Amino acid sequence: MRYSNIMKSFTTNIKKEKPYKCILCDSSDECFTTIEHIVPHSLGNNFLTLDKGWVCDKCNNICSGFESRALNNSSLGFQKVLMGHKTKKGKQPKATYNHIEWFSHGTKKNTISIDLNEKRLNKNPFVKYSIENNTKAFLQLAHNKFDIDIGKLLLKIGIEMIYSLSLNSSNNLDVAKKFILNDENKSWPYLLIQEKGFQLKSLFGPSKFIHSHALASNFDIFMYENQINELIFLFSYGYFLYAINPCSKDLNWLDELKNNNFKFVAFPVEFSKFSNT
């Protein structure tokens, strides 16, 4: 795995010349009135941003839609509750996952409550069994329709990181950008890594100060070049590590991970047969 081309000094709230050309839709005709959070604010990010002029308001609004669905109805939303990051309005986080509502206590991280609504429990026999038998295995990873939104969110974060670090010269991201902005319920494969086969190097590594801020917010970001020089993007949040290839929907990059003893579950559900557990 090659890191030398991408391990550069990283600065937040990019200070270089603003393009005023949207990095997602390539338009210069839209308004640019908002600062773009590369990692959503509700995941604890209050420092990793792109200044006005990088993402247009139209694309920002589109991204807000799938971000909201992903952060409130998925495994990522469950992690948000577990980490206890408050909303912009200062409210305690909550999310629905596996037909169960999860709530943060707000007193300390890793302490949560669940809605014991009988109707919801009957939709999830695994959780119901866990409660009735007093086990601690409440969370079962499951595929659902919001996996598409997680894929879009991961691609958005990856693309914005690639542009912020000027790494896009040899990688065609047009297909991924169109996927992000399209309303169709099509899928882009991504992984939930269960076991790493080699040590990953954080993109924040060159700056201990910035890296400490990221870790304090419970997230980290990694990239590596695969054997055909595609940039593979990995996003760690809470106890989960996600991976996606923003350069292609092709799944050949999974073979490289399997050969390096990575264990992972593939999402959305139509890609689950490619999992390596």
mmCIF file of all heavy atoms in Angstrom, residues 99-132:
data_model
loop_
_atom_site.group_PDB
_atom_site.id
_atom_site.type_symbol
_atom_site.label_atom_id
_atom_site.label_comp_id
_atom_site.label_asym_id
_atom_site.label_seq_id
_atom_site.Cartn_x
_atom_site.Cartn_y
_atom_site.Cartn_z
ATOM 1 N N HIS A 99 -35.185 -0.955 13.892
ATOM 2 C CA HIS A 99 -36.555 -0.749 14.378
ATOM 3 C C HIS A 99 -36.603 -0.351 15.851
ATOM 4 O O HIS A 99 -37.658 -0.431 16.486
ATOM 5 C CB HIS A 99 -37.409 -2.001 14.165
ATOM 6 C CG HIS A 99 -37.501 -2.437 12.738
ATOM 7 N ND1 HIS A 99 -38.177 -1.709 11.782
ATOM 8 C CD2 HIS A 99 -36.983 -3.521 12.106
ATOM 9 C CE1 HIS A 99 -38.082 -2.335 10.610
ATOM 10 N NE2 HIS A 99 -37.368 -3.419 10.782
ATOM 11 N N ILE A 100 -35.477 0.057 16.409
ATOM 12 C CA ILE A 100 -35.413 0.464 17.810
ATOM 13 C C ILE A 100 -34.961 1.923 17.875
ATOM 14 O O ILE A 100 -34.076 2.343 17.134
ATOM 15 C CB ILE A 100 -34.418 -0.411 18.607
ATOM 16 C CG1 ILE A 100 -34.840 -1.880 18.539
ATOM 17 C CG2 ILE A 100 -34.327 0.052 20.054
ATOM 18 C CD1 ILE A 100 -36.180 -2.174 19.164
ATOM 19 N N GLU A 101 -35.583 2.704 18.767
ATOM 20 C CA GLU A 101 -35.151 4.076 18.994
ATOM 21 C C GLU A 101 -34.092 4.097 20.079
ATOM 22 O O GLU A 101 -34.277 3.523 21.157
ATOM 23 C CB GLU A 101 -36.346 4.958 19.388
ATOM 24 C CG GLU A 101 -37.318 5.165 18.253
ATOM 25 C CD GLU A 101 -37.834 6.602 18.189
ATOM 26 O OE1 GLU A 101 -37.153 7.500 18.703
ATOM 27 O OE2 GLU A 101 -38.909 6.794 17.620
ATOM 28 N N TRP A 102 -32.970 4.773 19.776
ATOM 29 C CA TRP A 102 -31.844 4.853 20.700
ATOM 30 C C TRP A 102 -31.694 6.290 21.174
ATOM 31 O O TRP A 102 -31.745 7.227 20.381
ATOM 32 C CB TRP A 102 -30.557 4.390 20.004
ATOM 33 C CG TRP A 102 -30.672 3.045 19.365
ATOM 34 C CD1 TRP A 102 -31.150 2.766 18.111
ATOM 35 C CD2 TRP A 102 -30.315 1.781 19.928
ATOM 36 N NE1 TRP A 102 -31.110 1.410 17.869
ATOM 37 C CE2 TRP A 102 -30.604 0.783 18.970
ATOM 38 C CE3 TRP A 102 -29.778 1.399 21.164
ATOM 39 C CZ2 TRP A 102 -30.368 -0.566 19.199
ATOM 40 C CZ3 TRP A 102 -29.545 0.044 21.389
ATOM 41 C CH2 TRP A 102 -29.832 -0.915 20.414
ATOM 42 N N PHE A 103 -31.462 6.474 22.460
ATOM 43 C CA PHE A 103 -31.348 7.799 23.044
ATOM 44 C C PHE A 103 -30.055 7.902 23.857
ATOM 45 O O PHE A 103 -29.666 6.955 24.538
ATOM 46 C CB PHE A 103 -32.522 8.088 23.989
ATOM 47 C CG PHE A 103 -33.875 7.970 23.350
ATOM 48 C CD1 PHE A 103 -34.546 6.758 23.350
ATOM 49 C CD2 PHE A 103 -34.464 9.068 22.746
ATOM 50 C CE1 PHE A 103 -35.793 6.637 22.763
ATOM 51 C CE2 PHE A 103 -35.713 8.955 22.161
ATOM 52 C CZ PHE A 103 -36.383 7.749 22.162
ATOM 53 N N SER A 104 -29.429 9.075 23.794
ATOM 54 C CA SER A 104 -28.262 9.324 24.640
ATOM 55 C C SER A 104 -28.721 9.824 26.000
ATOM 56 O O SER A 104 -29.649 10.623 26.099
ATOM 57 C CB SER A 104 -27.348 10.361 23.988
ATOM 58 O OG SER A 104 -26.329 10.762 24.883
ATOM 59 N N HIS A 105 -28.055 9.342 27.056
ATOM 60 C CA HIS A 105 -28.371 9.824 28.399
ATOM 61 C C HIS A 105 -27.897 11.263 28.609
ATOM 62 O O HIS A 105 -28.454 11.995 29.407
ATOM 63 C CB HIS A 105 -27.703 8.929 29.456
ATOM 64 C CG HIS A 105 -28.479 7.688 29.743
ATOM 65 N ND1 HIS A 105 -29.665 7.705 30.422
ATOM 66 C CD2 HIS A 105 -28.242 6.388 29.436
ATOM 67 C CE1 HIS A 105 -30.131 6.461 30.530
ATOM 68 N NE2 HIS A 105 -29.284 5.654 29.939
ATOM 69 N N GLY A 106 -26.821 11.616 27.890
ATOM 70 C CA GLY A 106 -26.296 12.971 28.041
ATOM 71 C C GLY A 106 -25.370 13.143 29.219
ATOM 72 O O GLY A 106 -24.827 14.224 29.431
ATOM 73 N N THR A 107 -25.179 12.110 30.015
ATOM 74 C CA THR A 107 -24.301 12.213 31.184
ATOM 75 C C THR A 107 -22.881 11.763 30.865
ATOM 76 O O THR A 107 -21.918 12.378 31.285
ATOM 77 C CB THR A 107 -24.841 11.366 32.343
ATOM 78 O OG1 THR A 107 -25.063 10.020 31.886
ATOM 79 C CG2 THR A 107 -26.162 11.942 32.830
ATOM 80 N N LYS A 108 -22.755 10.718 30.092
ATOM 81 C CA LYS A 108 -21.430 10.253 29.711
ATOM 82 C C LYS A 108 -21.512 9.415 28.445
ATOM 83 O O LYS A 108 -22.543 8.858 28.106
ATOM 84 C CB LYS A 108 -20.791 9.437 30.831
ATOM 85 C CG LYS A 108 -21.586 8.194 31.250
ATOM 86 C CD LYS A 108 -20.877 7.462 32.374
ATOM 87 C CE LYS A 108 -21.671 6.213 32.808
ATOM 88 N NZ LYS A 108 -20.984 5.482 33.880
ATOM 89 N N LYS A 109 -20.377 9.354 27.752
ATOM 90 C CA LYS A 109 -20.303 8.588 26.520
ATOM 91 C C LYS A 109 -20.504 7.104 26.804
ATOM 92 O O LYS A 109 -20.205 6.612 27.881
ATOM 93 C CB LYS A 109 -18.928 8.832 25.868
ATOM 94 C CG LYS A 109 -18.781 8.261 24.479
ATOM 95 C CD LYS A 109 -17.476 8.706 23.845
ATOM 96 C CE LYS A 109 -16.280 8.083 24.511
ATOM 97 N NZ LYS A 109 -15.021 8.383 23.814
ATOM 98 N N ASN A 110 -21.032 6.394 25.798
ATOM 99 C CA ASN A 110 -21.249 4.944 25.854
ATOM 100 C C ASN A 110 -22.412 4.544 26.760
ATOM 101 O O ASN A 110 -22.542 3.379 27.121
ATOM 102 C CB ASN A 110 -19.986 4.190 26.305
ATOM 103 C CG ASN A 110 -18.834 4.370 25.331
ATOM 104 O OD1 ASN A 110 -19.059 4.630 24.152
ATOM 105 N ND2 ASN A 110 -17.624 4.239 25.813
ATOM 106 N N THR A 111 -23.244 5.512 27.163
ATOM 107 C CA THR A 111 -24.421 5.210 27.967
ATOM 108 C C THR A 111 -25.661 5.620 27.189
ATOM 109 O O THR A 111 -25.843 6.795 26.884
ATOM 110 C CB THR A 111 -24.386 5.960 29.309
ATOM 111 O OG1 THR A 111 -23.173 5.636 29.981
ATOM 112 C CG2 THR A 111 -25.568 5.558 30.175
ATOM 113 N N ILE A 112 -26.525 4.658 26.861
ATOM 114 C CA ILE A 112 -27.683 4.946 26.029
ATOM 115 C C ILE A 112 -28.926 4.265 26.596
ATOM 116 O O ILE A 112 -28.844 3.389 27.449
ATOM 117 C CB ILE A 112 -27.481 4.467 24.572
ATOM 118 C CG1 ILE A 112 -27.209 2.959 24.536
ATOM 119 C CG2 ILE A 112 -26.372 5.231 23.892
ATOM 120 C CD1 ILE A 112 -27.113 2.393 23.131
ATOM 121 N N SER A 113 -30.086 4.701 26.104
ATOM 122 C CA SER A 113 -31.360 4.077 26.433
ATOM 123 C C SER A 113 -32.028 3.653 25.135
ATOM 124 O O SER A 113 -31.700 4.151 24.051
ATOM 125 C CB SER A 113 -32.275 5.061 27.179
ATOM 126 O OG SER A 113 -31.714 5.434 28.415
ATOM 127 N N ILE A 114 -32.988 2.742 25.229
ATOM 128 C CA ILE A 114 -33.738 2.332 24.048
ATOM 129 C C ILE A 114 -35.230 2.428 24.336
ATOM 130 O O ILE A 114 -35.667 2.361 25.480
ATOM 131 C CB ILE A 114 -33.389 0.901 23.593
ATOM 132 C CG1 ILE A 114 -33.785 -0.122 24.661
ATOM 133 C CG2 ILE A 114 -31.928 0.779 23.241
ATOM 134 C CD1 ILE A 114 -33.622 -1.557 24.194
ATOM 135 N N ASP A 115 -35.979 2.638 23.262
ATOM 136 C CA ASP A 115 -37.434 2.682 23.357
ATOM 137 C C ASP A 115 -37.945 1.244 23.356
ATOM 138 O O ASP A 115 -37.744 0.503 22.394
ATOM 139 C CB ASP A 115 -37.986 3.457 22.159
ATOM 140 C CG ASP A 115 -39.499 3.562 22.172
ATOM 141 O OD1 ASP A 115 -40.125 3.014 23.104
ATOM 142 O OD2 ASP A 115 -40.046 4.186 21.258
ATOM 143 N N LEU A 116 -38.605 0.837 24.426
ATOM 144 C CA LEU A 116 -39.079 -0.535 24.558
ATOM 145 C C LEU A 116 -40.500 -0.719 24.012
ATOM 146 O O LEU A 116 -41.223 -1.601 24.443
ATOM 147 C CB LEU A 116 -39.028 -0.961 26.023
ATOM 148 C CG LEU A 116 -37.621 -1.030 26.621
ATOM 149 C CD1 LEU A 116 -37.692 -1.423 28.089
ATOM 150 C CD2 LEU A 116 -36.760 -2.008 25.860
ATOM 151 N N ASN A 117 -40.857 0.121 23.051
ATOM 152 C CA ASN A 117 -42.156 -0.006 22.410
ATOM 153 C C ASN A 117 -42.337 -1.420 21.866
ATOM 154 O O ASN A 117 -41.541 -1.915 21.093
ATOM 155 C CB ASN A 117 -42.249 1.020 21.268
ATOM 156 C CG ASN A 117 -43.574 0.981 20.554
ATOM 157 O OD1 ASN A 117 -43.831 0.062 19.786
ATOM 158 N ND2 ASN A 117 -44.397 1.983 20.799
ATOM 159 N N GLU A 118 -43.407 -2.093 22.286
ATOM 160 C CA GLU A 118 -43.615 -3.496 21.940
ATOM 161 C C GLU A 118 -43.723 -3.710 20.438
ATOM 162 O O GLU A 118 -43.222 -4.698 19.896
ATOM 163 C CB GLU A 118 -44.889 -4.016 22.632
ATOM 164 C CG GLU A 118 -45.100 -5.518 22.499
ATOM 165 C CD GLU A 118 -44.059 -6.327 23.268
ATOM 166 O OE1 GLU A 118 -43.460 -5.776 24.211
ATOM 167 O OE2 GLU A 118 -43.851 -7.494 22.909
ATOM 168 N N LYS A 119 -44.346 -2.777 19.760
ATOM 169 C CA LYS A 119 -44.504 -2.907 18.314
ATOM 170 C C LYS A 119 -43.150 -2.910 17.620
ATOM 171 O O LYS A 119 -42.897 -3.698 16.710
ATOM 172 C CB LYS A 119 -45.370 -1.758 17.779
ATOM 173 C CG LYS A 119 -45.685 -1.852 16.300
ATOM 174 C CD LYS A 119 -46.609 -0.719 15.872
ATOM 175 C CE LYS A 119 -46.908 -0.815 14.374
ATOM 176 N NZ LYS A 119 -47.823 0.288 13.935
ATOM 177 N N ARG A 120 -42.257 -2.018 18.066
ATOM 178 C CA ARG A 120 -40.925 -1.963 17.479
ATOM 179 C C ARG A 120 -40.124 -3.216 17.826
ATOM 180 O O ARG A 120 -39.398 -3.757 16.999
ATOM 181 C CB ARG A 120 -40.177 -0.716 17.967
ATOM 182 C CG ARG A 120 -40.684 0.587 17.361
ATOM 183 C CD ARG A 120 -39.837 1.759 17.839
ATOM 184 N NE ARG A 120 -40.262 3.010 17.235
ATOM 185 C CZ ARG A 120 -39.831 3.457 16.069
ATOM 186 N NH1 ARG A 120 -38.970 2.749 15.369
ATOM 187 N NH2 ARG A 120 -40.247 4.616 15.606
ATOM 188 N N LEU A 121 -40.254 -3.676 19.073
ATOM 189 C CA LEU A 121 -39.506 -4.862 19.492
ATOM 190 C C LEU A 121 -39.909 -6.089 18.672
ATOM 191 O O LEU A 121 -39.073 -6.926 18.337
ATOM 192 C CB LEU A 121 -39.729 -5.127 20.977
ATOM 193 C CG LEU A 121 -38.944 -4.257 21.955
ATOM 194 C CD1 LEU A 121 -39.326 -4.614 23.381
ATOM 195 C CD2 LEU A 121 -37.453 -4.421 21.753
ATOM 196 N N ASN A 122 -41.181 -6.192 18.352
ATOM 197 C CA ASN A 122 -41.650 -7.345 17.584
ATOM 198 C C ASN A 122 -41.071 -7.365 16.177
ATOM 199 O O ASN A 122 -41.029 -8.407 15.522
ATOM 200 C CB ASN A 122 -43.180 -7.352 17.525
ATOM 201 C CG ASN A 122 -43.796 -7.742 18.857
ATOM 202 O OD1 ASN A 122 -43.172 -8.436 19.660
ATOM 203 N ND2 ASN A 122 -45.012 -7.279 19.110
ATOM 204 N N LYS A 123 -40.594 -6.206 15.711
ATOM 205 C CA LYS A 123 -39.970 -6.138 14.387
ATOM 206 C C LYS A 123 -38.501 -6.546 14.450
ATOM 207 O O LYS A 123 -37.857 -6.700 13.419
ATOM 208 C CB LYS A 123 -40.090 -4.720 13.815
ATOM 209 C CG LYS A 123 -41.511 -4.327 13.442
ATOM 210 C CD LYS A 123 -41.528 -2.938 12.827
ATOM 211 C CE LYS A 123 -42.942 -2.542 12.407
ATOM 212 N NZ LYS A 123 -42.979 -1.193 11.798
ATOM 213 N N ASN A 124 -37.980 -6.674 15.646
ATOM 214 C CA ASN A 124 -36.577 -7.047 15.803
ATOM 215 C C ASN A 124 -36.450 -8.152 16.845
ATOM 216 O O ASN A 124 -36.194 -7.891 18.013
ATOM 217 C CB ASN A 124 -35.727 -5.839 16.224
ATOM 218 C CG ASN A 124 -34.242 -6.115 16.057
ATOM 219 O OD1 ASN A 124 -33.768 -7.203 16.366
ATOM 220 N ND2 ASN A 124 -33.509 -5.139 15.563
ATOM 221 N N PRO A 125 -36.645 -9.396 16.441
ATOM 222 C CA PRO A 125 -36.601 -10.509 17.398
ATOM 223 C C PRO A 125 -35.255 -10.660 18.086
ATOM 224 O O PRO A 125 -35.176 -11.143 19.212
ATOM 225 C CB PRO A 125 -36.924 -11.727 16.528
ATOM 226 C CG PRO A 125 -36.638 -11.303 15.128
ATOM 227 C CD PRO A 125 -36.932 -9.838 15.067
ATOM 228 N N PHE A 126 -34.172 -10.222 17.427
ATOM 229 C CA PHE A 126 -32.844 -10.328 18.039
ATOM 230 C C PHE A 126 -32.769 -9.465 19.298
ATOM 231 O O PHE A 126 -32.337 -9.915 20.352
ATOM 232 C CB PHE A 126 -31.775 -9.900 17.032
ATOM 233 C CG PHE A 126 -30.367 -9.932 17.596
ATOM 234 C CD1 PHE A 126 -29.659 -11.119 17.646
ATOM 235 C CD2 PHE A 126 -29.781 -8.783 18.088
ATOM 236 C CE1 PHE A 126 -28.372 -11.157 18.171
ATOM 237 C CE2 PHE A 126 -28.502 -8.808 18.613
ATOM 238 C CZ PHE A 126 -27.801 -9.996 18.643
ATOM 239 N N VAL A 127 -33.198 -8.204 19.171
ATOM 240 C CA VAL A 127 -33.165 -7.307 20.325
ATOM 241 C C VAL A 127 -34.136 -7.780 21.391
ATOM 242 O O VAL A 127 -33.836 -7.752 22.588
ATOM 243 C CB VAL A 127 -33.487 -5.861 19.891
ATOM 244 C CG1 VAL A 127 -33.598 -4.949 21.113
ATOM 245 C CG2 VAL A 127 -32.411 -5.349 18.946
ATOM 246 N N LYS A 128 -35.318 -8.247 20.963
ATOM 247 C CA LYS A 128 -36.312 -8.736 21.918
ATOM 248 C C LYS A 128 -35.761 -9.921 22.707
ATOM 249 O O LYS A 128 -35.907 -10.004 23.933
ATOM 250 C CB LYS A 128 -37.586 -9.139 21.191
ATOM 251 C CG LYS A 128 -38.740 -9.506 22.126
ATOM 252 C CD LYS A 128 -40.020 -9.753 21.349
ATOM 253 C CE LYS A 128 -41.173 -10.040 22.295
ATOM 254 N NZ LYS A 128 -42.440 -10.270 21.567
ATOM 255 N N TYR A 129 -35.087 -10.839 22.023
ATOM 256 C CA TYR A 129 -34.479 -11.987 22.693
ATOM 257 C C TYR A 129 -33.412 -11.520 23.679
ATOM 258 O O TYR A 129 -33.307 -12.037 24.797
ATOM 259 C CB TYR A 129 -33.868 -12.930 21.663
ATOM 260 C CG TYR A 129 -33.097 -14.086 22.267
ATOM 261 C CD1 TYR A 129 -33.749 -15.265 22.628
ATOM 262 C CD2 TYR A 129 -31.728 -13.989 22.476
ATOM 263 C CE1 TYR A 129 -33.051 -16.313 23.199
ATOM 264 C CE2 TYR A 129 -31.018 -15.028 23.048
ATOM 265 C CZ TYR A 129 -31.682 -16.204 23.402
ATOM 266 O OH TYR A 129 -30.985 -17.237 23.964
ATOM 267 N N SER A 130 -32.607 -10.519 23.265
ATOM 268 C CA SER A 130 -31.542 -10.013 24.132
ATOM 269 C C SER A 130 -32.103 -9.449 25.424
ATOM 270 O O SER A 130 -31.549 -9.644 26.507
ATOM 271 C CB SER A 130 -30.742 -8.938 23.393
ATOM 272 O OG SER A 130 -30.123 -9.478 22.240
ATOM 273 N N ILE A 131 -33.225 -8.726 25.317
ATOM 274 C CA ILE A 131 -33.833 -8.129 26.501
ATOM 275 C C ILE A 131 -34.445 -9.202 27.396
ATOM 276 O O ILE A 131 -34.239 -9.222 28.611
ATOM 277 C CB ILE A 131 -34.899 -7.096 26.082
ATOM 278 C CG1 ILE A 131 -34.222 -5.919 25.371
ATOM 279 C CG2 ILE A 131 -35.682 -6.613 27.289
ATOM 280 C CD1 ILE A 131 -35.188 -4.942 24.757
ATOM 281 N N GLU A 132 -35.204 -10.103 26.794
ATOM 282 C CA GLU A 132 -35.896 -11.133 27.576
ATOM 283 C C GLU A 132 -34.924 -12.077 28.270
ATOM 284 O O GLU A 132 -35.227 -12.631 29.326
ATOM 285 C CB GLU A 132 -36.839 -11.916 26.664
ATOM 286 C CG GLU A 132 -38.028 -11.084 26.170
ATOM 287 C CD GLU A 132 -38.884 -11.840 25.170
ATOM 288 O OE1 GLU A 132 -38.418 -12.903 24.687
ATOM 289 O OE2 GLU A 132 -39.987 -11.371 24.872
#
